[in-house]
Amino acid sequence: MRARLILLCLLCAGLAGCGNDRPPVVASAPPPSGHTREFRSDRAGLKVSLPANLNVAQSRAPAVFQATLGEPFVACFAYARREQLPRDAKELDAARLRLARATRSRDAGYHLTASRAIEVNGARAVELTGEQTLARRRVTIRSLHVFKGDAEYVIEIVAPSAGFARFDRGVTPVMKRTLQVTGRVRRS
């Protein structure tokens, strides 16, 4: 589901031409704004601040929102989980290894460059970073899996690899600092 959403966004952003015309070359997106605005979803039990110049659209479950800035974007998902979520550092590291393996096995073209177990505002989390080719474009993806209560929240920061660092620096620290989750996701 997430891979299809990412592919669709990149196709829409990169293939805006028509007929036999070549798509226009997209100038690099402006950097994320230092000013922020709050996004809240009661259905997902989530509140977060995002750079103010991102175009934010709510999405249908399990997606929560998508925020775009030209080609770079952030997508957020919230999943109610029945299985036991990581309760301590050992279980969180085991979850990190499982997620890394699952990501590699789902997409042979994905190259995991880093993974780590972290904490985001008191919630256990796993962060994966990797690269892959989508719609003939090399992209970098930072995937943050946050576990709380009976829920897993997945935030994916995606940008063409050449401009990923700038987009990531303007988005990830703000989101990590402001993300608040209840751990309760209403099923739609």
Side-chain angles (χ1 to χ4, degrees):
M1 172 74 175
R2 288 190 317 246
R4 281 183 282 183
L5 177 64
I6 292 168
L7 180 59
L8 178 63
C9 292
L10 288 172
L11 285 171
C12 289
L15 300 177
C18 57
N20 290 327
D21 295 341
R22 293 182 60 140
V25 175
V26 178
S28 65
S33 171
H35 299 286
T36 62
R37 64 178 172 197
E38 185 178 278
F39 175 86
R40 177 188 302 258
S41 170
D42 294 333
R43 171 188 55 84
L46 173 140
K47 181 170 72 169
V48 67
S49 291
L50 298 164
N53 64 338
L54 269 64
N55 297 311
V56 181
Q58 290 192 36
S59 303
R60 289 188 340 183
V64 179
F65 70 82
Q66 182 170 331
T68 61
L69 186 61
E71 285 183 294
F73 68 93
V74 178
C76 179
F77 304 84
Y79 302 97
R81 295 293 191 208
R82 296 183 199 280
E83 67 271 14
Q84 177 63 55
L85 297 176
R87 295 171 291 196
D88 57 29
K90 184 177 178 181
E91 290 181 2
L92 186 60
D93 195 52
R96 178 187 65 80
L97 293 171
R98 276 193 310 276
L99 281 167
R101 263 193 310 274
T103 302
R104 283 188 201 112
S105 68
R106 269 195 313 265
D107 187 349
Y110 178 82
H111 173 69
L112 180 69
T113 57
S115 69
R116 63 188 184 141
I118 62 173
E119 188 174 287
V120 176
N121 286 333
R124 291 179 182 82
V126 169
E127 186 174 58
L128 304 174
T129 306
E131 290 187 320
Q132 73 183 101
T133 300
L134 295 173
R136 298 187 313 203
R137 303 267 312 196
R138 195 72 181 156
V139 297
T140 300
I141 303 168
R142 179 180 307 281
S143 182
L144 185 64
H145 299 254
V146 180
F147 307 100
K148 183 159 185 182
D150 295 324
E152 177 182 0
Y153 299 88
V154 181
I155 298 171
E156 297 200 334
I157 296 116
V158 182
S161 294
F164 179 80
R166 182 172 78 159
F167 184 69
D168 186 53
R169 277 192 310 270
V171 174
T172 301
V174 170
M175 292 187 70
K176 285 181 177 177
R177 187 176 64 251
T178 64
L179 181 67
Q180 295 177 21
V181 294
T182 64
R184 293 181 301 277
V185 175
R186 288 194 302 241
R187 297 183 196 280
S188 296

